[in-house]
Amino acid sequence: IYLIPIILLISIFLKTYQKTNFTNIYTGDNLAKDIISPLPQNTVLILSDDSFGFNTLYIQNALGIRSDVNIPGNHEGYRIILKNAGFPEEAVDKYTIQNQNKYNRQIFYNIFPKLISEYPVFTDYIIKDNVNSEEIISVPYGLVNQAMLTQNYNLKEEDYLENVENIVNSYHLEDL
């Protein structure tokens, strides 16, 4: 009589174990790969979401994937942003130490047009909500948005849809 519940529990465990075994599931890694893989070479990727940021930095630093993508943040002192703001190298070092690797939002948003004109810039948020400028737009690009100067935006609808389809087809959806 006591043996039946034990046998039942063991059989349920054996039957459902594969459905709960996540040892070979890399959702965070795949999310980061889906974010960073479709980006053009030498991109600046500005992330505010922790899930996007931590996972993307992990695959960059630990797995060596897409080291050409610059992700400004506390880990590297926002060097690319400060350099684009016109800070010389010594001033970048001094600013980084004085401000404990944090950046001034006003400096950041003031140099956005210059940064966009020199690099492809992508964010995980809509630029329009953060920059008081009519010259910058956000264009959805996979899981992120591309920040573009309005004057440089000339993408045709067919090309945009084809680009989106290619990005979505490259997603790592096998974990779902």
Side-chain angles (χ1 to χ4, degrees):
I1 197 160
Y2 295 112
L3 199 54
I4 293 173
I6 292 172
I7 292 172
L8 184 62
L9 287 173
I10 291 172
S11 67
I12 290 172
F13 174 76
L14 293 174
K15 183 96 171 149
T16 62
Y17 176 72
Q18 289 181 334
K19 294 179 182 177
T20 60
N21 179 9
F22 297 122
T23 56
N24 294 320
I25 304 293
Y26 300 98
T27 304
D29 293 4
N30 289 339
L31 170 66
K33 288 175 188 173
D34 291 343
I35 292 167
I36 207 169
S37 294
L39 300 179
Q41 289 288 102
N42 302 316
T43 291
V44 176
L45 177 61
I46 301 167
L47 300 171
S48 63
D49 181 84
D50 288 345
S51 295
F52 281 21
F54 292 143
N55 290 309
T56 305
L57 286 170
Y58 170 76
I59 68 160
Q60 250 194 344
N61 296 320
L63 304 180
I65 296 172
R66 293 300 307 266
S67 58
D68 65 297
V69 175
N70 187 305
I71 304 174
N74 289 345
H75 59 282
E76 60 89 45
Y78 299 91
R79 298 185 86 70
I80 194 168
I81 292 171
L82 294 170
K83 285 180 184 176
N84 270 283
F87 284 71
E89 189 65 37
E90 311 80 45
V92 170
D93 292 337
K94 184 178 177 183
Y95 179 93
T96 301
I97 292 167
Q98 284 178 342
N99 294 289
Q100 301 173 344
N101 285 345
K102 293 183 173 62
Y103 71 98
N104 176 302
R105 284 188 189 273
Q106 197 58 44
I107 291 173
F108 180 71
Y109 292 133
N110 285 342
I111 64 98
F112 230 87
K114 186 173 189 280
L115 188 67
I116 291 169
S117 68
E118 294 183 21
Y119 301 94
V121 176
F122 295 83
T123 67
D124 62 347
Y125 56 89
I126 306 274
I127 299 297
K128 209 57 150 167
D129 295 343
N130 296 292
V131 178
N132 294 328
S133 173
E134 293 299 316
E135 61 185 315
I136 300 172
I137 59 171
S138 287
V139 179
Y141 191 94
L143 296 173
V144 293
N145 297 296
Q146 182 172 10
M148 299 181 78
L149 296 173
T150 306
Q151 65 201 27
N152 295 344
Y153 182 74
N154 58 3
L155 193 60
K156 294 182 180 139
E157 182 179 356
E158 304 84 39
D159 296 336
Y160 174 77
L161 293 174
E162 181 181 334
N163 189 29
V164 168
E165 184 176 346
N166 291 336
I167 291 170
V168 171
N169 287 337
S170 71
Y171 285 168
H172 296 81
L173 299 175
E174 62 271 5
D175 286 354
L176 302 176

